[in-house]
Amino acid sequence: MEELVQYILKFGDLSKQQLELIVSKGEELKIRKDSYFSEAGKIPKQVGFIVEGVIRGGYYNNKGEEITRCFIMENSLVCDYVNFEASTSSSEYLQAATDCSLIVFSKKNWEELSHIISGWDNIKNKMVQLCMYQKSRKGPVISQDATTRYLEFLENYPSVINRVPLSYIASYLGVTQQSLSRIRRNIR
Amino acid sequence: MEELVQYILKFGDLSKQQLELIVSKGEELKIRKDSYFSEAGKIPKQVGFIVEGVIRGGYYNNKGEEITRCFIMENSLVCDYVNFEASTSSSEYLQAATDCSLIVFSKKNWEELSHIISGWDNIKNKMVQLCMYQKSRKGPVISQDATTRYLEFLENYPSVINRVPLSYIASYLGVTQQSLSRIRRNIR
DNA sequence: TTCACTTTTTACCATTTGGTAAACAGCGGT
DNA sequence: ACCGCTGTTTACCAAATGGTAAAAAGTGAA
């Protein structure tokens, strides 16, 4: 759980005792590649912290096609927070793009922390805001051509390229898998 | 200020007295089309609530081209909140796409509300989360062709099309102004 | 190893989009 | 009205991308 502790401490100071209390409310969860952390059409039940692996955030457009909206990496919070908080069903899913190792908090445990740790809400909100901020930025720039988008993806996510199926990356970049394959050939 | 009061009440209950206190901390601000609410490279100094008008969120890519990332409409909070809170300079700007009428809160006033109104932090965080959520979703889908993106834009933002310059919409959709013009002709 | 299955690469052609340049339309100021 | 400025539309051709289909490469199980 050490990674989680270090992550939390980036947002504010807590005593060793308080940190132990937080960790005690989390559970380790391993999920296999392609399984879902939360599903489209369902209420998100957990907040997660990624210890190892990559999570893919996406949704189905009105033609039923899968759209990949973001990749979430190690040492990040992962949650569809607005729907988690409001207990509303989400239009998005969060899916393991690789085998993942997480620390998860049930809604009950997550809310309890607000009551038993003073200062937690402040830290929590900063963490959630960063989580949402990271989801919202750094996406591929729609006005750039596919080659540029791919090269920028390599810069922003160098560790992802060899870990997740190419089809997910193509979906993220907004091109067909064939086009991405051609782009990769032309770059060499 | 009635719009702001109604907006706040969607996130939690407050007394008439408390609402008046909140309103008293806000200032009316009118900004002309094309002027900036916050600028790229600078620290965001205010949280705003849009009473009338449309704000355009965007940034410069590494080639110096303007990228439009979102449009923010009436009755929404507008802020680069993560950088506002941390007093860090933003890579994005928020620009009036039409003449705008806002209610704005300085950082000082915004923070004072947390001390003088119990329950405000809870409401505030929900408002900020929604603000960030709206910024992050509903963007044009990169894998769809430009015509589809334009048609979906019309559905999602029917009131914007005749209010802002076409070049902003083209930038948002990721096409040149000429291509957008051709698309509009072909649809009729 | 071989087989079955999935992922990735290639190839071909039709379609879409970008780049450049010019014409056209709208609008405010004089 | 006329001018100058800005925003929008057109046109033409080159380049990028999608759709379809098939081949090649990788992977795991028997």
Side-chain angles (χ1 to χ4, degrees):
Chain A
M1 303 279 199
E2 186 55 28
E3 293 91 346
L4 175 57
V5 168
Q6 290 306 318
Y7 185 77
I8 290 168
L9 286 173
K10 285 197 286 187
F11 298 93
D13 283 331
L14 290 175
S15 70
K16 199 180 169 196
Q17 202 176 24
Q18 287 174 313
L19 289 166
E20 278 172 11
L21 203 47
I22 292 166
V23 164
S24 75
K25 294 285 182 185
E27 292 174 40
E28 291 191 54
L29 173 67
K30 291 187 188 298
I31 55 177
R32 286 227 160 272
K33 179 173 171 177
D34 293 339
S35 63
Y36 290 90
F37 179 73
S38 64
E39 292 181 65
K42 297 192 177 177
I43 297 169
K45 296 293 189 188
Q46 298 173 322
V47 172
F49 173 80
I50 307 180
V51 176
E52 170 133 34
V54 179
I55 299 267
R56 178 175 89 93
Y59 62 98
Y60 301 96
N61 70 7
N62 46 29
K63 289 175 198 151
E65 298 159 335
E66 290 209 356
I67 311 291
T68 299
R69 207 168 68 75
C70 60
F71 291 105
I72 306 161
M73 317 288 295
E74 279 94 354
N75 294 305
S76 297
L77 221 56
V78 55
C79 189
D80 185 340
Y81 203 80
V82 167
N83 291 304
F84 171 78
E85 181 111 298
S87 289
T88 48
S89 68
S90 175
S91 56
E92 298 205 7
Y93 55 82
L94 292 164
Q95 181 189 28
T98 66
D99 289 353
C100 285
S101 174
L102 305 164
I103 297 168
V104 298
F105 295 86
S106 68
K107 188 156 193 204
K108 179 168 167 290
N109 282 356
W110 187 254
E111 286 173 349
E112 277 176 9
L113 288 175
S114 294
H115 302 128
I116 59 183
I117 296 178
S118 75
W120 171 248
D121 271 354
N122 188 31
I123 292 174
K124 178 189 77 175
N125 283 314
K126 285 184 186 164
M127 288 187 353
V128 168
Q129 281 163 22
L130 181 65
C131 172
M132 297 181 73
Y133 186 67
Q134 288 175 337
K135 258 197 200 175
S136 75
R137 301 239 321 101
K138 288 272 184 189
V141 177
I142 200 168
S143 62
Q144 290 172 329
D145 67 25
T147 302
T148 307
R149 297 201 299 265
Y150 177 69
L151 291 173
E152 296 206 343
F153 177 79
L154 286 184
E155 282 184 33
N156 294 331
Y157 298 93
S159 65
V160 173
I161 192 71
N162 291 314
R163 297 166 73 191
V164 311
L166 209 59
S167 56
Y168 288 162
I169 295 169
S171 160
Y172 177 74
L173 295 175
V175 296
T176 59
Q177 186 169 315
Q178 293 89 320
S179 293
L180 179 54
S181 188
R182 173 175 46 203
I183 286 163
R184 280 151 64 93
R185 167 163 47 97
N186 292 340
I187 284 173
R188 289 186 234 117
Chain B
M1 303 279 198
E2 187 53 29
E3 293 91 345
L4 175 56
V5 168
Q6 289 307 318
Y7 184 77
I8 291 169
L9 287 174
K10 285 197 286 185
F11 298 93
D13 283 330
L14 291 174
S15 70
K16 198 178 170 194
Q17 201 176 25
Q18 288 174 314
L19 289 166
E20 278 172 11
L21 204 48
I22 293 167
V23 163
S24 75
K25 295 284 182 185
E27 292 174 40
E28 291 191 53
L29 173 67
K30 290 185 188 297
I31 56 177
R32 286 228 161 272
K33 179 175 171 175
D34 293 338
S35 63
Y36 289 90
F37 178 73
S38 64
E39 291 182 65
K42 298 191 176 176
I43 298 169
K45 297 293 189 190
Q46 298 173 322
V47 172
F49 174 81
I50 308 179
V51 176
E52 171 134 32
V54 179
I55 300 268
R56 180 174 88 95
Y59 62 98
Y60 300 97
N61 71 8
N62 46 28
K63 292 175 196 151
E65 298 159 335
E66 291 209 356
I67 310 291
T68 299
R69 208 168 68 76
C70 60
F71 292 105
I72 305 161
M73 317 289 295
E74 280 94 353
N75 293 305
S76 297
L77 221 57
V78 56
C79 189
D80 185 340
Y81 203 80
V82 166
N83 291 304
F84 170 79
E85 180 111 296
S87 289
T88 48
S89 68
S90 175
S91 56
E92 299 205 6
Y93 56 80
L94 291 165
Q95 182 189 29
T98 67
D99 289 352
C100 284
S101 174
L102 305 163
I103 297 167
V104 299
F105 296 86
S106 68
K107 187 156 192 204
K108 178 168 169 292
N109 282 357
W110 187 255
E111 287 174 347
E112 278 175 9
L113 289 175
S114 293
H115 303 128
I116 60 182
I117 296 179
S118 75
W120 170 248
D121 272 353
N122 187 30
I123 291 173
K124 179 189 76 175
N125 283 315
K126 285 183 187 165
M127 288 186 356
V128 169
Q129 282 163 22
L130 182 64
C131 173
M132 296 180 73
Y133 186 67
Q134 288 174 337
K135 257 197 200 176
S136 75
R137 301 244 316 105
K138 288 270 184 191
V141 178
I142 201 169
S143 62
Q144 291 172 328
D145 66 25
T147 302
T148 307
R149 297 201 298 265
Y150 177 69
L151 291 173
E152 296 206 342
F153 177 80
L154 286 184
E155 281 184 34
N156 294 331
Y157 298 94
S159 65
V160 173
I161 192 72
N162 292 313
R163 297 165 74 188
V164 312
L166 210 58
S167 56
Y168 288 163
I169 295 168
S171 160
Y172 177 74
L173 296 175
V175 296
T176 60
Q177 185 167 316
Q178 292 88 323
S179 293
L180 179 54
S181 189
R182 174 177 43 202
I183 286 162
R184 281 152 63 94
R185 167 163 46 96
N186 291 340
I187 284 172
R188 289 186 235 117

